[in-house]
Structures are given as C-alpha cells and as structure tokens.
Amino acid sequence: MPLVLACAPGLASADELSSPRVKDAPEPAWPAARVDRSEAIVPLLVTVKADGTVGKVEAQASGDPELESAAIQAALRWTFEPATRGGRPIAAKIKVAVRFVGEEPRALSAPLATNVPAGVYVGPPRKNASTNAPISEPKKPALPATSRPDERGEPRGEVVVLGPSRPPPPSAAGDHRVRVGQLVDVPRRSAEQLLTLAPGFLLQNHGGEGHPSAIFLRGFSAAEGQDLEMSVGGVPLNEPSNAHGHGYADTHFVIPELVEELRVVEGPFDPRQGDFAVAGSVEYTLGAGRGIVAQAGLGSFGAKRLLLLWGPGGAPRGTFVGFSVTDSDGFGRNRASTAARAMAQYEHRLGAGRRLVALVSAYTTRFDGAGVVRQDDFEARSLDCPKDHDSQFFCTYDPNQGGATARLDASLRFEHKGPREEHTHQVFATIRKTRLRENFTGFVTDVRPSGEPQRGDGVEQMYDTTTFGARGSFTRTVDVWGHRQSLELGYFARHDRGDTLQRRLRRVGGVPYRVDFESGIAITNIAGYAAGKLRPASWLTLRGGIRLDTFGFAVEDRNKPEKDRSGPREPSDTIEAFGLTLGPRASVEINLAQGLAWMTSYGAGSRSSDAQALSDGESAPFARVDAFETGVVFERSEGRTLDVSARALAYFTRVDRDLVFDAARGRNVLVGTSNRFGASISGRLTSRAGIDTQGSLTYAEAYLPEAGAPWYALTSGKRLPYIPRWVARLDTSLRKDLRISGVRLRATGALGTTYVAPRPLPLEQFGHEIFTVDVAARLRYRFVEVGIEATNVLDRRNRAAEFNYASNFSLPDAPASRLAHPHFAAASPRQILGTIRFHLEAAKGEEEAGR
C-alpha cells in the first residue's frame, strides 16, 4: 500500500527531502453498531514521526464522526519508513484517505480522495456477496512512488515537513549543525557552554557567573562576542559599541534545556552572516518535548536551581514555556550570584506549509566577581585571605567587582514553505541594561598631582539600549540539468538606540571619580544579500553569494570639557558617520563517494566600527576579513540504527584591523593586521542503542606579521597572545533501559573531558595547561528521576584566564612596577549538584506534532 506523496524523485542532497513510505497499514474496521455500510471516504492528516510511527492523526471534515473515529484508530496503528532530509530521518505531515467499501473497508493508496479516479478501487478484488465471484473492476492506473505532475507541472498532493524551517545548505566544511540530542546529559550549566559541542571552542570566564565567557575559536580571542555573530531564534545578540566591548553578546538568558540545535559556521563563508562574523557565527534553535518537567537541584557552595518546562500536548516542539531560578554562594570570596529566566514560544500552524512563531524571554541577574590575582602574591601567600593554598588561590583584591543585567526580548516570525518557493519574515525587539565592574591593575592608571595618592583602577561599564529590527528571505528553486537549483534573496535591518558609559571607581567603597567616556548612540544597520546553489552535475555543487552591509552612526559625546581655548562651551558634541562593506562568499563541493564530500571555500567578512572611535563625517572603517578553508566531510545514516559523521579541515584567515585585550583599559584595543591558520578533526557517532559520543581535536596559530611581509609568510612577526594552540574535547552519553526484579528503570551516564595546551602570553611567556573531567549519572523510575553531576571531578586547580602585564595591588603610594607579571583568574574547583526531576508526559495521542 504505497502512499503517493508530493515529493520530487531522486532527492539526495542535504537540503532536499524524501517522503515517508508505508511499511505496515492494518485495515480499518467498520464501527460495530453501524447499519449503513455503504462506500465512504475519510480524508486524514497524519503526522509520521522521525522513528516511523504515527503521532497525531486529524480527520479532515468527512462529515461522519463515527467513521472519522474508526479511520483515526486504524491510522494510529500504521508504521512507515520516515521522511528524510539529507539521509536523516525527520517528521512529516502527510495527507491520506481511508475508503470504506461495502463489508470490506480498505486503506486508500492515494494521498487525497480527489486524486483517485472515479470508479477506481485500490485494494484486493471485491466479491459478489451471493456467488463469491470476483467483481469486474476498471483497470487500475499505475501508482508510482511519487505523484505525477498536473498540467502545470506541479506535483499533486502535499507533504508538510514539521519542526524548524528548512535550513540553508552547508556553506563550508566548518559549517556544523550540532544536534544537542543525548549530549544534553553531559554537565553544562549554561547555554554558552553548549558551544563546546562544536570543534575548537574554548570558553574562559574571569568576570563571575553572570558575566559572559571569553570565547576562543580558530585563533581568535573573540572576547565576549566581538568576533562571533550570535543569535537565538533569529534574534541578534551582539551589542554594538557596548562599553565592555564592541560586539558583546550574552547568552545567559537562554535556558539550556530549551536548546535543541546550534548552527555553528566557523569562518565568514555564508552570505547570511553579517556584522561580527569574523571567527564565525552561532545560531541557537529552541524546542522542547511534550509534557511537564519540574526539577529541583542542590549542590556545592550553596548552589540551588529550580526548573520548570512545559510543552503542551499535541502542539509542535516549537511551543513551550520555561522558567528557571538559580542561586549560589560561589566557590570562593566574592563569587555569589543569582538569576531568573523565563522563555515562552508559541508555534501556530496555518496550513499549506505556513506557520507563525512568537518568542518572548525575560532575564535578570546580579553577580559578584573576584577578578585576577598576581602569581607572585599567590605564591608568597600574601593575599588578604587565610594562608592555606586554596584560600589564596580563590582570593580577590577588590570586592567592588561584579555586575547586573536585565533584558527583555520579543520576536514574531512568519514562514511559508511551498514546493518551489519559501519565504520568511521576522520582526524582533530587545531591551537590555548591563552594568559591569572590574579591576585588572590595582593602582596604576589614575594620574594625580604630586603628593596625592592613587584612588584606584576600578572600571565601571554601563550599557542601556533598545534594539528593534526585521529580517527575512525569499527562496526560489528550479530543476535544471536534472538537479534542483536555488536562489535566495534576503534582507536585514536593525536599529540600536541607547547610552554607553565607562568610568573609574575608587578602591575604597567603589565610588565613581572620573568618566572615561559617556555617549548616547543611535546605530542603524541595513543589509541585503543574495545566496545561490548551482548543481551542474551529481558530483559537483557550487554555492555562494554576496552581502552588502551599510551602517549609519549618530553619537552624542557627553564627556566634552566645559571650556576650551575659545572659552565656555557645552560639554557635549554630536558625531555622525556612515560606512558600507561588501562581502563575497563562495564554496565548491565535490562528492567523492556516497556520504563523502570535499569542500573548499572563500569568504570576505567584516567587523563594524566602534562608535566611540569615529569622527564627525568620517567614512566609517571596517575590519576586513579574508578567510580560506578546505576539508572533507563524511556523513552516513544507517536507517534507524546508526548515524556517523566526521570531518577534517584546514584554514587560513587574515584580518586587517585586529583587536587584543588591554588590561589598563579593561577592553580590547586595535593592534593592526593579523594572520591565523590551523586545522581540526572531529567526529560523532549516534546509535539507536542509546550511545551518543563525539570528539574533536583542533590546532590554531595566530601572528602579527611584520610590516611589508607577504600574506603567505604565516609565522612572520610576533605570536598573538592568549590564543589556545591545541584544544581537545570528548563527550559521551549512554542511556540504557534496565529491568530489576520486574521493575523497569532508565539509567543514564555521561562523561565530558577537555584538554587545552599551555597558551602563549605577552612577552613570549606561556600559561598553564587546562584539563577537566565532568561526569553525570541519572536513574529514572516511571515519572521520577534522580541525578547527580560533578564538574571538574578531579578537582584540578585550573586557571579560567591568564594574563601578563604590569600592575600594583599593594598600596596606593607604592611605586608601580613597569615590569609585566603573570596574573590569573581561578577556575571552579570540583562542584557537585544533586537533582530530582519529575516528568509528567503528554497523554497518549498527544505527542509532539513533529520533531
């Protein structure tokens, strides 16, 4: 009983679909009490899940509730070979019909009743009730595996793919679609830590639990997002001209259990990538299972967490509500934190491949920071803490460090997916306020008249802005040379308006004493792009496009003097500037064998200017990025048993205006041109037997070339500091169903390990290696699950960050040394968290409408 579905034949590439095919379809039964058993047809809308079973079944208004119920009960017992995209099983919604004929009801083999020719019955021969002889039937038409086109060349019937919108094709070998899957079991306590599921990421946090981590990728010290374009559900996160750093991005508002997938593009190879996509870009996709999950956790250092997730039964995975509260005393002095998060998303299916997705999130946090300590003070046990090793290691100089953040996000997205055309439109808005306080140098930067003491180098940075904008795209596909070709046109518009401030704080009491800068900003980014895919042969695919970004800057500088050489003046000034940049991107994919491809890519990316550095009427400069990459990608799915993926690649990147952290200023500063090169290997194996394991090894080098050196002199000049050269990561999760004395249990075990080789520091110094092991175990009986997880289970004294610069943390009147010295921020010791979780799953028949 093959189902005839609207899906073009021969689809094999990663961005195309194959349709569900029926495996077993038990026949429907007439209602027992029904007297009238004349022929009838009941059209159904059936959700075929990724495992081939039937999820939700909806009757399409046959007008006979009795027969509708009988048809639904039959369809719920059917099984299918699931639909696939690029060889991976996915959920799909298909239209079928059940025909009740005489005393012998049968399932119809066409997707819609209107597609069945009049007088044609598809099923075994019918017999005369009195003679038992076969009834002569009209000749059946041939029913192919895919529906024939109508007079206009369009296929009949309909297949609606559920879940997120169809993803764009891969842009490069370093284009990773990271399904969280079972690896959610490996301990990760924030959404940003999920980045380590992609090869090469290193996160280091020296500012406190509510402070975003510094991100290292492909030889870039991307700070808190300055070189990594980040978004959640299409909502951009990077904050232009943030006082803490241009491009600052905070993902702490995201509840990690609601992240289903990350798309990580390492390098600027996709025309959809915009501002800050220097090292690459990250897009978070959200979703949740059906039912209610309630969890409470208690752990080391007073850690507490409450979590509540709800996915309404029968609704898509894109519909959910999540709420989370965390609180901790911290693992050392001045490390307490507390935070609350709420996220709600509603996905409404409008039929015919259309849907509307609304997302709202709210977040607030307050946290303390310990900052850095000098290596010599730690070794001499001279810090103002108990003199034992651990107390000194986790000590702090300045208690006036930490911060607070509040934000509200809203987004509305419309998607339409047709057989040949797709378009998406989204509007978004964000309101946020951030305050950060840090002290890196002690008593160095405050220049006072002779005889007056230093007041201290504490830095307070504030950012209070509102963002609103829109983005969208239109895609058209055609079949040429026997393959599907596509063209996508997209737009992006964003306006940021608010205030940014940096001022210095006294060491005593944290009182502000001087303003470094204070500005009102209004920044408008308008962009457009074209992206295409050309497949002239089955073994060759060409992808590429171009993107144009324009920026308008209006800055009110409120920190001008009240008097100049000409006399009194207003202590403010207005600066306006405009800039534009054009970025071509292209890649070539050669299919070497089934599931094995070789990809080579080039991309030109950019980073916009910090508004603080512009002059009135200036043509705003951009950091220009030229990136090259080549690598092989292998992906193989063995039906319902095993998925295997692996890739190996090498890359080179050149940036003409790079940034490096300056401790005295507390932010990154320009250093000129830089070169980066490296390689990575990674792989993942997912078995339906309950095993999910992934590993990666990456190598990176970064140099500041000498003046006049050619681009191919990769190691010319000085090595850039802080860049991790070798990063290795392994994650494994095992889930197993057990029966003990007739009681069914679900056991889960998980392991995550990270190794980072010693990193280069300024002045030819090197830091310490990093090695962590994290483990977790859970046991579930019916709806109750208990668990325990431990991070840094070996209790190593790792360093979250290491620096090498001059400082003076002794006394205000002590002579400040001009010699650089190692500093470090302590990473977390071993932490243990125990949890109890309650699963109130959706009622039978109310599973999610699609994964």
Side-chain angles (χ1 to χ4, degrees):
M1 191 192 70
L3 287 174
V4 184
L5 302 176
C7 192
L11 304 184
S13 67
D15 59 335
E16 297 172 329
L17 305 172
S18 70
S19 306
R21 293 181 179 273
V22 70
K23 291 174 59 179
D24 183 39
E27 298 175 355
W30 282 97
R34 188 176 179 92
V35 176
D36 178 12
R37 298 191 177 187
S38 57
E39 181 169 316
I41 291 176
V42 178
L44 300 177
L45 193 61
V46 177
T47 298
V48 180
K49 298 194 294 186
D51 62 2
T53 61
V54 172
K56 187 177 181 181
V57 181
E58 300 171 83
Q60 300 291 287
S62 71
D64 192 325
E66 204 173 37
L67 286 185
E68 287 180 1
S69 177
I72 289 172
Q73 291 304 313
L76 286 170
R77 300 194 302 273
W78 296 349
T79 58
F80 294 78
E81 289 290 346
T84 62
R85 175 186 287 135
R88 293 181 179 275
I90 59 173
K93 210 178 251 188
I94 58 174
K95 289 184 178 180
V96 299
V98 174
R99 174 181 283 173
F100 292 81
V101 181
E103 295 292 331
E104 298 286 339
R106 294 289 184 268
L108 188 69
S109 62
L112 293 172
T114 54
N115 284 359
V116 184
V120 173
Y121 164 72
V122 182
R126 290 182 288 178
K127 297 181 179 180
N128 186 294
S130 58
T131 65
N132 203 35
I135 297 177
S136 177
E137 299 283 357
K139 186 177 180 180
K140 299 179 187 177
L143 294 176
T146 55
S147 62
R148 294 178 175 179
D150 61 16
E151 293 78 4
R152 297 169 299 173
E154 294 295 328
R156 296 173 177 173
E158 182 179 9
V159 177
V160 180
V161 178
L162 307 178
S165 60
R166 181 180 298 166
S171 58
D175 187 343
H176 304 269
R177 291 201 170 273
V178 182
R179 294 170 292 103
V180 177
Q182 273 189 225
L183 297 184
V184 70
D185 300 334
V186 180
R188 287 181 172 89
R189 298 185 181 180
S190 68
E192 71 174 13
Q193 291 180 359
L194 292 172
L195 292 174
T196 59
L197 288 172
F201 275 90
L202 173 65
L203 307 181
Q204 295 199 324
N205 192 327
H206 60 266
E209 285 296 314
H211 189 291
S213 294
I215 302 172
F216 298 87
L217 176 67
R218 286 209 168 187
F220 285 91
S221 174
E224 293 84 8
Q226 71 176 17
D227 288 335
L228 193 67
E229 182 189 37
M230 306 183 76
S231 60
V232 173
V235 179
L237 301 186
N238 299 87
E239 300 175 1
S241 299
N242 187 302
H244 191 67
H246 183 49
Y248 178 94
D250 186 355
T251 61
H252 283 310
F253 73 95
V254 179
I255 299 174
E257 287 83 357
L258 292 177
V259 178
E260 290 206 318
E261 183 180 88
L262 297 90
R263 185 191 181 200
V264 178
V265 182
E266 299 185 8
F269 300 119
D270 192 324
R272 302 164 188 84
Q273 294 172 290
D275 194 17
F276 304 112
V278 176
S281 61
V282 175
E283 164 71 14
Y284 287 83
T285 298
L286 306 178
R290 302 303 84 190
I292 297 175
V293 173
Q295 176 181 295
L298 292 174
S300 307
F301 311 108
K304 297 176 282 291
R305 186 178 189 227
L306 295 175
L307 173 68
L308 179 64
L309 305 176
W310 176 43
R317 292 183 68 87
T319 297
F320 57 79
V321 175
F323 178 72
S324 171
V325 177
T326 57
D327 183 75
S328 174
D329 298 332
F331 55 84
R333 182 177 293 184
N334 218 57
R335 289 179 171 86
S337 65
T338 185
R341 302 166 180 85
M343 306 188 78
Q345 183 169 283
Y346 175 69
E347 179 180 338
H348 181 60
R349 302 281 168 78
L350 301 173
R354 296 189 301 261
R355 70 173 185 165
L356 200 63
V357 181
L359 171 66
V360 176
S361 66
Y363 168 63
T364 182
T365 183
R366 198 212 65 79
F367 59 94
D368 296 327
V372 299
V373 298
R374 288 173 59 103
Q375 179 71 24
D376 56 356
D377 287 345
F378 162 66
E379 293 173 348
R381 304 291 192 268
S382 62
L383 295 165
D384 186 21
C385 288
K387 302 309 177 183
D388 62 281
H389 177 277
D390 280 1
S391 296
Q392 292 284 303
F393 188 79
F394 297 113
C395 198
T396 182
Y397 292 116
D398 188 348
N400 299 312
Q401 299 182 86
T405 295
R407 68 181 294 145
L408 178 68
D409 297 88
S411 164
L412 184 64
R413 185 171 75 252
F414 171 77
E415 298 175 0
H416 174 73
K417 295 181 289 183
R420 296 292 180 179
E421 295 181 351
E422 297 183 14
H423 57 93
T424 301
H425 306 279
Q426 180 178 14
V427 293
F428 54 84
T430 300
I431 303 171
R432 60 199 175 280
K433 183 172 184 177
T434 299
R435 178 189 180 215
L436 300 173
R437 292 165 289 122
E438 295 179 319
N439 188 345
F440 285 96
T441 55
F443 299 98
V444 173
T445 63
D446 183 27
V447 179
R448 299 286 293 157
S450 178
E452 296 189 25
Q454 263 259 1
R455 291 169 288 188
D457 296 350
V459 175
E460 181 179 55
Q461 297 159 332
M462 301 183 71
Y463 191 72
D464 187 355
T465 60
T466 298
T467 298
F468 49 90
R471 71 193 314 163
S473 64
F474 175 83
T475 305
R476 173 70 178 175
T477 61
V478 295
D479 288 336
V480 181
W481 302 316
H483 301 285
R484 180 158 293 187
Q485 325 295 337
S486 68
L487 175 65
E488 177 181 335
L489 301 177
Y491 65 90
F492 179 85
R494 168 179 175 172
H495 182 76
D496 294 84
R497 179 180 295 270
D499 302 299
T500 182
L501 164 73
Q502 177 170 302
R503 54 190 180 185
R504 296 289 172 166
L505 306 178
R506 292 179 189 163
R507 178 70 172 273
V508 179
V511 177
Y513 67 83
R514 188 183 77 221
V515 173
D516 287 341
F517 59 80
E518 180 181 5
S519 303
I521 58 173
I523 303 173
T524 302
N525 174 202
I526 300 175
Y529 69 85
K533 184 196 76 172
L534 183 65
R535 193 178 184 192
S538 60
W539 57 271
L540 177 64
T541 303
L542 308 175
R543 299 184 179 92
I546 193 166
R547 182 183 179 98
L548 174 66
D549 273 278
T550 65
F551 288 85
F553 300 89
V555 183
E556 182 187 3
D557 186 346
R558 301 168 183 159
N559 193 37
K560 292 294 185 179
E562 296 184 357
K563 183 182 294 186
D564 58 19
R565 294 179 181 179
S566 300
R569 57 155 293 169
E570 286 294 316
S572 65
D573 200 357
T574 299
I575 298 169
E576 293 181 341
F578 185 86
L580 62 85
T581 180
L582 196 65
R585 292 93 190 261
S587 84
V588 178
E589 177 182 345
I590 300 175
N591 293 322
L592 304 175
Q594 183 178 2
L596 180 64
W598 175 29
M599 302 182 73
T600 300
S601 305
Y602 164 76
S606 63
R607 182 201 311 119
S608 63
S609 300
D610 188 338
Q612 305 297 329
L614 297 175
S615 302
D616 192 28
E618 180 181 8
S619 178
F622 290 80
R624 169 83 177 187
V625 184
D626 290 289
F628 301 86
E629 178 190 85
T630 187
V632 291
V633 179
F634 175 76
E635 292 187 347
R636 187 72 176 268
S637 179
E638 299 294 339
R640 301 173 62 182
T641 59
L642 190 69
D643 289 337
V644 179
S645 64
R647 65 189 68 203
L649 57 88
Y651 64 87
F652 167 74
T653 306
R654 186 178 182 89
V655 184
D656 67 350
R657 293 166 55 86
D658 213 344
L659 299 165
V660 170
F661 177 75
D662 185 314
R665 301 188 188 185
R667 64 202 314 259
N668 290 334
V669 297
L670 285 170
V671 293
T673 301
S674 65
N675 288 331
R676 289 168 176 80
F677 61 93
S680 73
I681 56 174
S682 62
R684 184 169 181 176
L685 183 149
T686 303
S687 168
R688 304 303 187 274
I691 299 174
D692 195 349
T693 186
Q694 172 177 281
S696 65
L697 175 65
T698 63
Y699 169 71
E701 292 281 10
Y703 284 86
L704 293 171
E706 296 175 348
W711 68 268
Y712 51 81
L714 301 184
T715 59
S716 169
K718 296 181 179 179
R719 178 180 274 127
L720 268 171
Y722 311 123
I723 304 303
R725 302 176 68 195
W726 291 96
V727 178
R729 176 78 194 180
L730 175 67
D731 293 287
T732 301
S733 168
L734 173 63
R735 295 178 180 177
K736 191 72 174 177
D737 288 331
L738 306 174
R739 285 192 177 274
I740 301 176
S741 301
V743 177
R744 183 179 177 182
L745 303 172
R746 164 64 64 89
T748 299
L751 169 71
T753 63
T754 299
Y755 171 78
V756 182
R759 295 183 297 154
L761 301 177
L763 305 176
E764 304 300 323
Q765 300 297 305
F766 278 84
H768 295 71
E769 69 176 12
I770 298 172
F771 181 62
T772 61
V773 178
D774 307 322
V775 298
R778 300 203 307 270
L779 191 64
R780 178 175 173 179
Y781 170 65
R782 300 183 65 183
F783 63 89
V784 180
E785 184 178 55
V786 293
I788 186 169
E789 61 183 52
T791 55
N792 189 17
V793 69
L794 301 181
D795 204 25
R796 287 176 55 95
R797 294 299 175 257
N798 294 312
R799 288 159 165 79
E802 292 184 90
F803 307 95
N804 193 39
Y805 57 82
S807 68
N808 169 27
F809 285 100
S810 300
L811 296 171
D813 54 355
S817 173
R818 298 293 181 181
L819 297 178
H821 190 82
H823 297 66
F824 69 88
S828 169
R830 178 172 53 233
Q831 294 195 63
I832 298 174
L833 181 71
T835 61
I836 182 168
R837 177 178 291 189
F838 300 93
H839 300 261
L840 304 178
E841 297 179 343
K844 185 174 178 60
E846 290 190 346
E847 297 89 349
E848 60 268 25
R851 275 187 176 281

